[in-house]
């Protein structure tokens, strides 16, 4: 009977109860969302590179090697000799390898030299392979594959030619104008540093930095323009004016046909050498046939006598890096808990504000036989109803937000949200909120407990 009476009393105060429900629901949604994003962001961060057993580079710090090879942050102090790479990838148990060469850029975006094994074996998130939104992998040293963000921000399309610059900064004073690259493919968004990277063959990196291509391309372009102008001038003197209009039309048609043919030729180009005479690379990734080989090969690489090398396990190093950002996690949790506390305090304010208006109601209940503990139970039951309903609506909003934000968070920030049942930890948080709401509801209930019948019948004005 008391529970039924508490429910009807709650429904009788729709406006104030609705406002309290909304604040609790929003705070619960924020708490669960922040916790889910925090947990999944940690998992996604640890899976920025997935399925790779070892990252090998010149001897430096573990985190520095990870940042330079995976996140394109910083610079590698030394390079790895190609002979060392060939020797290590031929070791027993190595299933695949991906060479990486860094050091160039294009309008602030990093350029990564590699081979086709990058598109076959590189994985991110929960072992997801790279896919193409358009085009295909590069076939020769004149082609480039763009990350999703590069193509989107710079407005590039398949078949366009771009020029790579030397150095990793936003501003470069040396451009490889004599080696323009044709866009052969655009990768689908991954939410990882892959989206901000231009991928070229190792042979393209070698060609751009070889001494044979050191001549400034602007001089070459001027000479070509001058030769072309002279040729057109001689060509015009060979014909009579009677065929002038017909010649111009045919020339324009021929020019457009050549451009279209060149574009199709670039996209349908034949495969070529992707390695060239590469002598050094920045780092390389290794995958093994069995995890049993990981520690053994890692120890052999760290003791390699050919040159000082370092092999790291990316999963372990990523977790170490995340621990350095632990303070951010704690700040997010504190902010969310503060929001929940404010909503519960709002419920307390609402209950205390309506308590004075309900003193006659409570006095009537006392007059018909209700005992003080009945009054206490009635008010605390109302607080529990409001808190439980607020949590239920908050959970519903939480799942609605997950469904709406799942795709955008993965594509933009690389956070893969898991739409699953509430975990034990999340259920514990809800239990804590309901318990806190019960305790807060006990404050006005205790005040009502001590109201006397005479006080309820003689309300002061």
């Amino acid at each position: 009977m008391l529970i039924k009476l508490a429910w009807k009393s709650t429904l009788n105060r729709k406006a104030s109860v609705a406002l309290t429900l909304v604040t609790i629901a929003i705070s619960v949604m924020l708490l669960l969302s922040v916790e889910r994003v925090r947990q999944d962001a940690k998992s996604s961060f640890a899976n920025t590179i997935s399925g790779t057993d070892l990252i090998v580079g010149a001897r430096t710090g573990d985190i520095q090697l990870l940042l330079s090879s995976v996140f394109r942050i910083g610079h590698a102090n030394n390079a790895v000799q190609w002979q060392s790479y060939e020797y290590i990838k031929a070791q027993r148990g190595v299933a695949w390898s991906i060479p990486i060469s860094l050091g160039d850029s294009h309008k602030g975006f990093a350029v990564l030299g590699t081979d086709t094994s990058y598109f076959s074996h590189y994985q991110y998130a929960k072992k997801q392979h790279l896919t193409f939104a358009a085009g295909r992998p590069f076939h020769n040293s004149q082609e480039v594959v763009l990350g999703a963000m590069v193509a989107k921000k710079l407005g590039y399309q398949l078949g366009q030619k771009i020029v790579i610059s030397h150095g990793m900064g936003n501003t470069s004073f040396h451009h490889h104008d004599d080696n323009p690259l044709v866009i052969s493919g655009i990768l689908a968004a991954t939410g990882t540093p892959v989206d901000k990277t231009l991928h070229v063959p190792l042979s393209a990196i070698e060609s751009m930095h070889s001494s044979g291509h050191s001549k400034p391309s602007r001089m070459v372009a001027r000479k070509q323009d001058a030769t072309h102008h002279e040729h057109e001038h001689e060509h015009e003197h060979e014909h009579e004016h009677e065929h002038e209009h017909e010649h111009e039309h045919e020339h324009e048609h021929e020019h457009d046909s050549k451009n279209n043919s060149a574009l199709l030729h670039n996209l349908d180009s034949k495969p070529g050498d992707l390695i060239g005479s590469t002598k050094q690379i920045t780092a390389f990734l290794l995958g093994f046939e069995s995890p049993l080989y990981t520690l053994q090969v890692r120890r052999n690489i760290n003791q390699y006598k050919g040159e000082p090398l370092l092999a790291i396990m990316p999963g372990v190093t990523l977790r170490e890096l995340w621990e350095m950002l632990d303070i951010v996690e704690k700040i997010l949790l504190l902010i969310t808990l503060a929001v929940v506390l404010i909503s519960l305090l709002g419920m307390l304010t609402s209950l205390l504000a309506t308590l004075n208006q309900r003193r006659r109601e409570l006095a009537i209940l006392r007059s018909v036989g209700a005992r003080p503990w009945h009054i206490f139970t009635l008010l605390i039951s109302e607080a529990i109803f409001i808190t439980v309903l607020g949590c239920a609506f908050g959970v519903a909003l939480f799942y609605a937000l997950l469904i709406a934000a799942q795709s955008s968070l993965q594509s933009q920030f690389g956070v893969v949200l898991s739409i699953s049942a509430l975990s034990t930890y999340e259920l514990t948080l809800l239990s804590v909120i309901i318990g806190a709401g019960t305790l807060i509801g006990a404050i006005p209930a205790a005040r009502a407990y001590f109201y006397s019948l005479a006080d309820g019948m003689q309300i002061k004005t």
Side-chain angles (χ1 to χ4, degrees):
M1 178 62 90
L2 282 175
I3 294 177
K4 184 178 180 181
L5 185 61
W7 175 249
K8 289 185 176 181
S9 177
T10 302
L11 294 179
N12 189 49
R13 297 177 288 109
K14 296 179 182 179
S16 60
V17 170
L19 290 175
T20 305
L21 281 176
V22 169
T23 56
I24 294 178
I26 292 176
S27 63
V28 169
M29 178 198 68
L30 288 175
L31 177 63
L32 294 178
S33 300
V34 168
E35 281 302 302
R36 183 64 65 92
V37 169
R38 186 176 66 88
Q39 294 294 333
D40 290 343
K42 182 177 181 179
S43 176
S44 300
F45 183 81
N47 292 321
T48 301
I49 178 172
S50 178
T52 297
D53 296 312
L54 289 179
I55 299 177
V56 184
R59 188 165 298 172
T60 181
D62 291 11
I63 294 179
Q64 183 178 355
L65 176 58
L66 178 74
L67 291 176
S68 62
S69 60
V70 176
F71 293 95
R72 328 286 191 247
I73 298 175
H75 304 276
N77 295 328
N78 294 301
V80 179
Q81 298 299 319
W82 183 258
Q83 293 83 353
S84 300
Y85 166 69
E86 291 282 350
Y87 173 79
I88 294 173
K89 80 171 186 177
Q91 296 300 304
R92 178 185 176 186
V94 177
W96 53 265
S97 62
I98 301 175
I100 291 176
S101 180
L102 297 166
D104 290 328
S105 64
H106 175 74
K107 297 184 178 181
F109 293 101
V111 174
L112 183 146
T114 184
D115 56 18
T116 52
S117 60
Y118 181 88
F119 306 107
S120 302
H121 300 293
Y122 190 93
Q123 299 177 42
Y124 66 98
K126 297 179 180 179
K127 294 189 176 181
Q128 297 184 32
H129 288 273
L130 299 176
T131 57
F132 279 82
R136 53 161 176 78
F138 43 66
H139 282 172
N140 51 56
S141 60
Q142 285 78 45
E143 295 179 343
V144 57
V145 173
L146 306 184
M149 187 174 293
V150 178
K152 181 179 179 180
K153 286 198 171 184
L154 301 181
Y156 287 157
Q157 301 292 333
L158 295 179
Q160 283 187 256
K161 289 186 177 182
I162 62 175
V163 174
I164 304 301
S165 303
H166 184 68
M168 297 290 289
N170 291 327
T171 303
S172 178
F173 297 99
H174 180 71
H175 305 285
H176 302 290
D177 298 331
D178 48 350
N179 285 279
L181 302 178
V182 179
I183 301 173
S184 66
I186 299 174
L187 293 171
T190 64
T192 68
V194 173
D195 298 343
K196 304 176 183 179
T197 306
L198 295 85
H199 308 83
V200 302
L202 289 171
S203 56
I205 297 291
E206 189 272 334
S207 298
M208 286 185 290
H209 293 88
S210 63
S211 58
H213 295 276
S214 60
K215 189 174 182 178
S217 61
R218 293 181 180 178
M219 296 298 295
V220 176
R222 288 175 181 175
K223 289 183 178 181
Q224 289 178 348
D225 290 340
T227 304
H228 183 67
H229 179 72
E230 291 176 2
H231 175 72
E232 288 183 346
H233 185 69
E234 294 174 359
H235 184 67
E236 289 175 358
H237 278 283
E238 290 176 358
H239 294 277
E240 300 292 337
H241 290 285
E242 58 183 356
H243 300 292
E244 181 177 355
H245 296 290
E246 181 180 356
H247 169 72
E248 288 178 354
H249 176 73
E250 291 177 353
H251 180 72
E252 290 177 358
H253 179 73
E254 181 181 358
H255 184 265
D256 293 338
S257 300
K258 286 182 179 180
N259 287 337
N260 294 332
S261 299
L263 177 61
L264 294 175
H265 174 72
N266 289 331
L267 294 180
D268 299 332
S269 59
K270 296 181 180 179
D273 183 16
L274 301 179
I275 305 299
S277 57
T278 301
K279 297 180 180 179
Q280 293 180 334
I281 55 177
T282 304
F284 58 92
L285 314 180
L286 292 178
F288 297 99
E289 299 172 356
S290 170
L292 299 176
Y293 292 105
T294 303
L295 294 178
Q296 178 183 353
V297 176
R298 182 188 181 192
R299 182 177 62 254
N300 294 337
I301 292 174
N302 290 334
Q303 297 175 354
Y304 181 64
K305 296 182 179 180
E307 59 178 316
L309 298 178
L310 174 67
I312 63 172
M313 302 172 67
V316 175
T317 309
L318 280 168
R319 283 191 290 271
E320 293 176 355
L321 183 59
W322 183 264
E323 290 177 358
M324 298 174 61
L325 306 174
D326 185 56
I327 185 65
V328 179
E329 281 190 89
K330 294 179 179 179
I331 291 175
L332 286 176
L333 181 59
L334 288 175
I335 292 175
T336 310
L337 291 177
V339 173
V340 174
L341 179 60
I342 291 172
S343 67
L344 293 177
L345 290 177
M347 183 182 71
L348 174 62
T349 303
S350 175
L351 292 176
L352 289 175
T354 58
L355 181 60
N356 193 54
Q357 301 173 2
R358 299 176 62 190
R359 287 170 64 177
R360 184 176 296 277
E361 172 192 342
L362 299 178
I364 294 173
L365 290 176
R366 291 286 300 274
S367 67
V368 296
R371 298 182 179 180
W373 69 269
H374 288 146
I375 303 299
F376 180 87
T377 305
L378 175 65
L379 292 184
I380 204 170
S381 298
E382 293 179 9
I384 294 175
F385 280 148
I386 295 174
T387 307
V388 172
L389 285 176
C391 289
F393 287 136
V395 170
L397 291 175
F398 163 66
Y399 279 108
L401 182 63
L402 283 186
I403 295 173
Q406 185 183 33
S407 59
S408 60
L409 280 179
Q410 180 174 2
S411 60
Q412 298 296 327
F413 304 102
V415 178
V416 182
L417 293 179
S418 57
I419 302 178
S420 57
L422 296 177
S423 64
T424 304
Y425 177 68
E426 290 168 338
L427 290 174
T428 302
L429 290 176
L430 290 179
S431 301
V432 171
I433 293 175
I434 294 174
T438 304
L439 290 176
I440 287 179
I443 297 175
R447 291 189 61 181
Y449 179 85
F450 294 106
Y451 281 167
S452 65
L453 181 60
D455 184 45
M457 299 298 267
Q458 299 177 3
I459 297 178
K460 297 179 181 180
T461 58

